[in-house]
Amino acid sequence: MRAAHDDVIERLRLAVPGRVVTDADVLESARTDRSGTFASGRPIAVVYAESIEDVQAVCRIADETDTPLVTRGAGTGLAGGAIAGDGEIALSTERMCRVLEISAENQLCVVEPGILNGDLNRQLAERGLWWPPDPASKDISTVGGNIASNAGGLLCAKYGVTREAVLALKVVLVDGTLLEVGHRTVKGVTGYDLCALMIGSEGTLGIVVEATLKLRPAVMGVVPTIGAYFDSIADAVAAVAAVTAAGLQPAIMELMDRSMLEAVAAHTGLDLASAGTAYLLVQTDGPNALAEAQAVLVEVQAAGGRAEITTDPDAAASMVDVRRQGLPAMEALGALLIEDVAVPRDRMAEMYARIEEIAERYDVLIPTPAHAGDGNLHPTFVFEGSTSDVPDRIWDAARELFRAGLELGGTLTGEHGVGVLKRAFLGDELGDAQYEIQKRIKAVFDPKGLLNPGKVFGS
Amino acid sequence: MRAAHDDVIERLRLAVPGRVVTDADVLESARTDRSGTFASGRPIAVVYAESIEDVQAVCRIADETDTPLVTRGAGTGLAGGAIAGDGEIALSTERMCRVLEISAENQLCVVEPGILNGDLNRQLAERGLWWPPDPASKDISTVGGNIASNAGGLLCAKYGVTREAVLALKVVLVDGTLLEVGHRTVKGVTGYDLCALMIGSEGTLGIVVEATLKLRPAVMGVVPTIGAYFDSIADAVAAVAAVTAAGLQPAIMELMDRSMLEAVAAHTGLDLASAGTAYLLVQTDGPNALAEAQAVLVEVQAAGGRAEITTDPDAAASMVDVRRQGLPAMEALGALLIEDVAVPRDRMAEMYARIEEIAERYDVLIPTPAHAGDGNLHPTFVFEGSTSDVPDRIWDAARELFRAGLELGGTLTGEHGVGVLKRAFLGDELGDAQYEIQKRIKAVFDPKGLLNPGKVFGS
């Protein structure tokens, strides 16, 4: 039976003194994330855990009092996966931000979940090491959040997603049990891979309290940059396909369509209309970077791209800036719903055509950048009003977009996660049998459904 | 209630006519694998499925008659994970060996589970593509078996294990339901990663009937080879550590200790004793291969290695052959129990010392090669008698070895799997809480425990 909120708060204060905050502004900020979605009601408290023992104590109280628990990192999620509402405890990992170990010999580090990806990578860089996951949010998002959402980014086609960059996790279960999953070794096949199961589980199975991360040597040397303008998005997509089919593996391949270029032109005053109606940004890295960039350029030009290679920092910055200005330029146009479909790489042109068709039919602007190397598009619906209040018409258009992505063999979400934003569509992708099995796995870890309720599953 | 065997066989014959074999020699061969372990008793039939529908039909019969079902590929496992015994149906995927699709643009292929890794890679090579998992068995082991055991190999430190090379799976559950898990896209975060959960699950959760594999461009160009002799295994391990710490990433780094070198010398007549007491074989690949090999050589020599680089095919073959002769040389000495511990890379020297100590104390020869780049050692117990009848004294020594591996932060099995051989030790590594959760996940998929019973879990 659920205990009274005051009793729960009192128990929390006794168990983890000094970590329990009930100030109205703090509770209010825990209701939302960068998706602009708000939970209904406010959490009863935000608890700032400082240790594994703190997390265990909070979980035990939640379990014993049947109080729902929502774990949060920096609150930068884009799917409402970490928003805490009425009657819930918000458990923050922000104060658990220590680096516990860095080992060059084992190419690993051990960290607490609340450290920011960018802060960690600055420390690693001093040792010539690198943790590859690179969500656009990396300077403001936590490693724990990256793990909870299996974060992607620009470099995934070459360097993999978060799942490929985690060796082991310590996880606190809802009853306070501390579980150690995965291996400190590169290989390990003892039993089911619960470490992989945890990654991307969005706080619904347990709370990640420590992570052993797989590192790479920092990539050294010059990074040539190519900025290519095309007459159509189809040509640009064909260039990407040709690059991949030629066995080339750029570090990043970022695509922008006409409406995104127009937004950037309006925002920056750059004359992009005369340059082209689609833009492809490519960077190569590693010991063969320049030769690889030259081979990429051949493919890009053969596909009709007007392009050049530069290794000059200023010229490269200008090329990169066209892409980087995309988000502020779109934000200047109105409220945004940032979507996240991924399709097989050879269906990208079709996906762009479907997006254009949906934009026309619903009379809505949908600028769409893509991590083209891995077929991950971010169709961004622009509308009047507030991001926290997406109009039904926009949701209808988004629903058609999801359906188009699934029809093309793709997925609802490449890297942002399901959260509350896409839970209504999850069953469409998984099918009934898998949806049922996923819910039963949830019940193995969290039989009472106290961890992040309403996220991922639900309608 | 379990049906009479004759009734089950009759139902199988009706459901999948022409695929059901009950010849004594075929049943007998399904009792064992390359570990030399034999199941107690014989299976009631071996069913050679030719389609997904066949597998579904067989599963439904197993489910409805409560008959245990053991899935087998080529039977090359080293842990007794696919051996079928008394009252069980052995389901063979050997005839499901088609390549259904190869896409250079998406860098993926879709295959049936029974295709041999080597056969697949020959087909891919014609298209300039490559599926990286490279267990030593690759010419005789199936892709389905590689997936069931999350196979590793020599190239894993650089190119990852099987889990990193699988995008999606079709899986038949014990009740005949067809599940599609994973994504055809590079990224995808909809719900829990059941694809990763399936990989390495050793036939205990479902039957993999189709796999979408993540490919890489074939690695082109010269592959320089370094063969280095050291005065001690500790020096050789130090060389490996120095290579890793320098941020170099060879394609393979294979280590051999003194007793393995002695076995090879005895078997081949080569004078290795005067060359050294430990051997390190390194190959680099990719566009920077030669420069990388030269940088490796610097580290190897600084650690006391007597070494040279060659790109001459004959000279390289001689260097590789020292390693390749290891298994036949050990087989010439007696029956073998091939173990598979992995430890963090910086504990390898300690692990070698522990192995030496155990070998002395138990008076048993334990030649130990290692995939040194990822800390995966194969201590190989040599004894008189038959591989299918490991003496208690050898098991006692192996048990100490497992304990030593765990104490050093390692794992019981880096790439061979648990099967029946290590099930008694699984709980030692996982701990009670995780062991219990793993068993409950098993029950989600297979509530009656019909799939590969006694494997992975059990005492």
Side-chain angles (χ1 to χ4, degrees):
Chain A
M1 189 184 123
R2 202 162 278 193
H5 297 166
D6 288 349
D7 293 346
V8 175
I9 294 169
E10 185 56 29
R11 286 189 62 170
L12 289 170
R13 288 217 161 99
L14 281 168
V16 288
R19 280 88 148 148
V20 182
V21 178
T22 55
D23 299 353
D25 57 333
V26 172
L27 300 183
E28 189 62 25
S29 68
R31 290 181 59 215
T32 190
D33 65 6
R34 292 247 161 180
S35 72
T37 315
F38 281 77
S40 117
R42 275 184 192 167
I44 61 173
V46 178
V47 183
Y48 293 89
E50 296 182 6
S51 67
I52 293 176
E53 293 70 26
D54 284 357
V55 173
Q56 290 178 293
V58 174
C59 283
R60 276 192 292 263
I61 292 169
D63 192 32
E64 287 163 13
T65 61
D66 286 353
T67 309
L69 179 73
V70 177
T71 309
R72 285 173 69 85
T76 60
L78 289 168
I83 64 177
D86 198 26
E88 298 177 334
I89 299 168
L91 174 64
S92 169
T93 61
E94 279 177 280
R95 291 188 194 166
M96 295 177 70
C97 54
R98 288 179 302 165
V99 176
L100 303 172
E101 179 190 353
I102 298 176
S103 167
E105 202 169 328
N106 288 315
Q107 292 195 330
L108 62 78
C109 68
V110 181
V111 302
E112 293 183 327
I115 189 168
L116 298 182
N117 177 319
D119 286 348
L120 172 62
N121 267 305
R122 273 183 286 279
Q123 291 190 44
L124 293 174
E126 292 168 14
R127 308 278 292 269
L129 294 166
W130 176 46
W131 191 54
D134 72 323
S137 62
K138 64 186 170 188
D139 283 326
I140 53 171
S141 65
T142 65
V143 168
N146 296 169
I147 291 170
S149 62
N150 189 23
L154 279 60
L155 297 163
C156 301
K158 181 160 187 177
Y159 293 106
V161 294
T162 300
R163 184 174 299 108
E164 275 100 63
V166 177
L167 291 169
L169 295 172
K170 287 188 183 171
V171 178
V172 173
L173 302 182
V174 68
D175 67 358
T177 303
L178 180 65
L179 215 61
E180 300 190 33
V181 297
H183 301 92
R184 202 179 147 87
T185 49
V186 176
K187 293 173 176 168
V189 289
T190 36
Y192 306 131
D193 190 348
L194 300 192
C195 185
L197 192 70
M198 282 291 160
I199 297 167
S201 66
E202 303 189 36
T204 64
L205 298 180
I207 292 109
V208 171
V209 291
E210 191 179 297
T212 302
L213 307 178
K214 187 175 176 183
L215 306 179
R216 286 176 180 264
V219 180
M220 310 299 264
V222 70
V223 176
T225 301
I226 297 173
Y229 289 91
F230 294 83
D231 288 335
S232 74
I233 192 76
D235 286 352
V237 168
V240 170
V243 167
T244 303
L248 301 163
Q249 183 59 78
I252 73 167
M253 284 203 279
E254 292 291 303
L255 205 54
M256 293 166 73
D257 67 353
R258 179 202 295 255
S259 47
M260 195 173 168
L261 274 181
E262 286 173 352
V264 170
H267 187 62
T268 61
L270 291 169
D271 173 25
L272 299 174
S274 67
T277 59
Y279 183 69
L280 178 64
L281 176 72
V282 182
Q283 291 188 317
T284 57
D285 66 4
N288 203 38
L290 202 53
E292 197 170 11
Q294 279 152 352
V296 168
L297 186 65
V298 170
E299 302 294 341
V300 164
Q301 289 176 334
R306 293 175 291 280
E308 49 186 317
I309 297 180
T310 187
T311 54
D312 173 72
D314 290 341
S318 298
M319 289 178 184
V320 171
D321 207 45
V322 175
R323 171 68 181 84
R324 204 184 293 271
Q325 290 297 331
L327 186 59
M330 293 189 293
E331 283 172 338
L333 295 176
L336 305 179
L337 172 66
I338 302 175
E339 275 314 324
D340 177 40
V341 293
V343 294
R345 285 174 276 208
D346 64 352
R347 312 303 291 273
M348 255 199 302
E350 287 166 86
M351 192 64 212
Y352 267 111
R354 298 286 282 266
I355 292 166
E356 206 167 312
E357 191 268 322
I358 292 168
E360 269 177 35
R361 191 146 41 83
Y362 284 85
D363 190 25
V364 56
L365 196 61
I366 317 178
T368 301
H371 309 309
D374 49 30
N376 186 193
L377 301 91
H378 291 306
T380 305
F381 295 79
V382 182
F383 55 94
E384 283 179 38
S386 153
T387 297
S388 63
D389 189 18
V390 179
D392 287 346
R393 182 178 59 94
I394 298 297
W395 274 125
D396 290 344
R399 204 167 287 126
E400 287 218 33
L401 183 97
F402 298 152
R403 210 171 295 134
L406 293 179
E407 278 170 24
L408 296 175
T411 176
L412 289 173
T413 172
E415 56 186 15
H416 292 172
V418 178
V420 296
L421 237 62
K422 278 170 217 174
R423 62 186 181 187
F425 312 105
L426 185 64
D428 295 343
E429 179 168 337
L430 298 184
D432 291 346
Q434 189 181 169
Y435 191 84
E436 188 52 41
I437 282 182
Q438 296 226 354
K439 285 207 299 188
R440 279 192 259 154
I441 289 173
K442 159 78 174 170
V444 165
F445 287 84
D446 178 22
K448 292 193 279 186
L450 295 175
L451 294 182
N452 218 7
K455 314 298 164 47
V456 185
F457 306 105
S459 53
Chain B
M1 192 182 126
R2 202 161 279 197
H5 297 167
D6 289 348
D7 294 346
V8 175
I9 293 169
E10 186 56 27
R11 287 189 62 169
L12 289 170
R13 289 219 159 98
L14 281 169
V16 289
R19 280 89 149 146
V20 182
V21 178
T22 55
D23 299 354
D25 57 333
V26 172
L27 299 183
E28 189 62 25
S29 69
R31 291 181 58 214
T32 189
D33 66 5
R34 291 246 161 180
S35 72
T37 316
F38 281 78
S40 118
R42 276 184 191 168
I44 62 173
V46 178
V47 183
Y48 293 90
E50 295 182 7
S51 67
I52 293 176
E53 293 71 26
D54 284 357
V55 173
Q56 290 178 294
V58 173
C59 282
R60 276 191 293 262
I61 292 169
D63 193 31
E64 287 164 13
T65 62
D66 287 354
T67 309
L69 179 73
V70 177
T71 309
R72 285 173 69 84
T76 59
L78 290 168
I83 63 176
D86 198 26
E88 298 178 332
I89 299 168
L91 174 64
S92 170
T93 61
E94 278 177 281
R95 291 189 195 166
M96 295 177 70
C97 54
R98 287 179 303 164
V99 176
L100 303 173
E101 179 190 354
I102 299 176
S103 166
E105 201 169 328
N106 288 315
Q107 294 195 329
L108 62 77
C109 67
V110 182
V111 302
E112 292 183 327
I115 190 168
L116 299 182
N117 178 319
D119 287 348
L120 172 63
N121 268 305
R122 272 182 288 278
Q123 290 190 46
L124 293 174
E126 292 168 15
R127 308 278 292 269
L129 294 166
W130 175 47
W131 190 54
D134 71 323
S137 63
K138 63 186 169 187
D139 284 325
I140 53 170
S141 65
T142 65
V143 168
N146 296 168
I147 291 169
S149 61
N150 189 22
L154 278 62
L155 297 163
C156 300
K158 182 162 187 177
Y159 292 106
V161 295
T162 299
R163 184 173 301 107
E164 275 100 62
V166 176
L167 291 169
L169 296 172
K170 287 187 183 170
V171 178
V172 173
L173 302 182
V174 69
D175 66 0
T177 303
L178 180 64
L179 215 61
E180 300 190 34
V181 298
H183 301 91
R184 199 178 149 89
T185 49
V186 176
K187 293 173 177 169
V189 289
T190 36
Y192 306 132
D193 190 349
L194 300 192
C195 185
L197 192 69
M198 282 291 160
I199 298 167
S201 65
E202 302 190 34
T204 63
L205 299 180
I207 293 110
V208 172
V209 291
E210 191 179 297
T212 302
L213 307 177
K214 187 176 177 182
L215 306 179
R216 285 176 181 265
V219 180
M220 311 299 265
V222 69
V223 175
T225 302
I226 297 173
Y229 289 92
F230 293 83
D231 288 336
S232 74
I233 192 74
D235 286 352
V237 168
V240 169
V243 167
T244 303
L248 301 164
Q249 183 59 78
I252 73 168
M253 285 204 278
E254 293 291 302
L255 206 54
M256 294 166 72
D257 66 354
R258 178 202 295 254
S259 45
M260 195 173 167
L261 274 181
E262 286 173 353
V264 171
H267 187 62
T268 61
L270 291 169
D271 173 26
L272 299 174
S274 67
T277 57
Y279 183 69
L280 178 65
L281 176 72
V282 181
Q283 291 187 317
T284 57
D285 66 3
N288 203 38
L290 201 55
E292 197 170 9
Q294 280 152 351
V296 168
L297 186 66
V298 169
E299 302 295 341
V300 164
Q301 290 176 333
R306 293 175 291 280
E308 49 187 317
I309 296 180
T310 187
T311 56
D312 174 72
D314 290 341
S318 298
M319 288 178 185
V320 171
D321 207 45
V322 175
R323 171 67 181 85
R324 205 184 293 270
Q325 292 295 330
L327 187 58
M330 292 189 293
E331 283 173 338
L333 295 176
L336 304 180
L337 173 66
I338 302 176
E339 275 313 325
D340 178 40
V341 292
V343 294
R345 285 174 276 209
D346 63 352
R347 312 303 289 273
M348 256 199 301
E350 285 167 87
M351 191 65 213
Y352 267 112
R354 298 287 281 268
I355 293 167
E356 204 167 314
E357 191 269 320
I358 292 168
E360 268 177 36
R361 191 145 41 82
Y362 283 84
D363 191 23
V364 55
L365 196 61
I366 317 178
T368 301
H371 309 310
D374 48 30
N376 185 194
L377 300 91
H378 291 306
T380 304
F381 295 80
V382 182
F383 54 93
E384 283 180 40
S386 151
T387 298
S388 63
D389 189 19
V390 178
D392 286 345
R393 181 179 58 94
I394 297 296
W395 273 126
D396 290 344
R399 203 167 289 126
E400 287 219 32
L401 183 95
F402 297 151
R403 210 170 296 135
L406 292 180
E407 279 170 21
L408 296 175
T411 177
L412 288 173
T413 171
E415 57 186 15
H416 292 172
V418 177
V420 297
L421 236 63
K422 279 169 216 176
R423 63 186 181 186
F425 312 105
L426 185 64
D428 295 344
E429 180 168 338
L430 298 184
D432 291 344
Q434 189 181 171
Y435 190 84
E436 187 53 41
I437 282 183
Q438 297 227 353
K439 285 207 298 187
R440 278 192 261 155
I441 289 175
K442 158 79 173 168
V444 165
F445 287 84
D446 178 22
K448 294 193 280 187
L450 295 174
L451 294 182
N452 218 6
K455 314 297 163 48
V456 184
F457 305 105
S459 54

